[in-house]
Amino acid sequence: MSDGSNGRRPPYGAVLCDVDNVIRTFDSSRLQTLERVAGIAEGTTQKVAFAQETVEPLLLGEITSQEWAEAIAEGLAGLVAEQQVAYDLALALIESPFHADEEVVALLRRARVRVPLVLVSNAALELESDLDSMGLSDLADHVVNSARVGLAKPDPRIYRLAAELAGTPPERCLFVDDGEDNVEAAAALGMRAVHFREPADLERALAPLFA
């Protein structure tokens, strides 16, 4: 990998980056429509789905996405009139269309010219195929998928695993994530941690690499 650095040591030895809500964005419009029809508040399905006791087995690879949908529907059962409605809401969530943020992808591809890039995601087993469907199977040097390694952020072990795959000490890693708890856990390991809200946050964090 050519770093284009003219011999200068990069300010970071590796970039570790989250996937969902950083690289990948979801379209929840169909889910929101179904929630309105069902007479429940917008965001209710996500609140049920991402409750720790419901989503953690998925993120640790202990259940499939189909089993997750069934757990979501069960959690919604007391909030909607019919079980089929609850299941339809669950499916609308897990089947939400998604796309890559091209600005973020371009920044990460540029960064990877200089240093290794590792994707670190709390995700289901489909993550790798989803990346492929977005044309991103070649984006990173490694993908650390919680469902495959049996560890999920903010467990410090998943950060150490990502740093090890990058061949870089944690304190030389730049970590980017939209979750505040995940960012704080990375910082506790000595990583330069960035709370992602918009592509400009990533651009500012990567600027020293491009100087």
Side-chain angles (χ1 to χ4, degrees), residues 25-28 30 92-93 95-99:
T25 300
F26 291 88
D27 177 2
S28 299
R30 180 170 180 270
L93 172 66
E95 295 175 356
S96 295
F98 55 81
H99 69 275

Side-chain angles (χ1 to χ4, degrees), residues 189-202:
L189 291 174
M191 295 182 178
R192 165 78 168 95
V194 175
H195 188 189
F196 180 95
R197 299 174 185 85
E198 59 182 2
D201 297 322
L202 178 62

Side-chain angles (χ1 to χ4, degrees), residues 1 7 10 21 31 34 86 89 92 96 99-100 103 113-114 132 146 156 158 161-162 186 189 199 201:
M1 179 172 59
N21 303 313
L31 173 60
L34 290 178
L89 288 163
S96 295
H99 69 275
E103 184 176 357
V113 173
R114 297 292 313 278
D132 186 55
S146 66
I158 195 170
L161 173 60
L189 291 174
D201 297 322

Side-chain angles (χ1 to χ4, degrees), residues 53-72:
E53 64 273 13
T54 303
V55 74
E56 187 172 67
L58 176 80
L59 301 182
L60 294 178
E62 297 169 358
I63 62 173
T64 65
S65 292
Q66 179 62 38
E67 290 169 321
W68 184 44
E70 293 166 2
I72 297 167

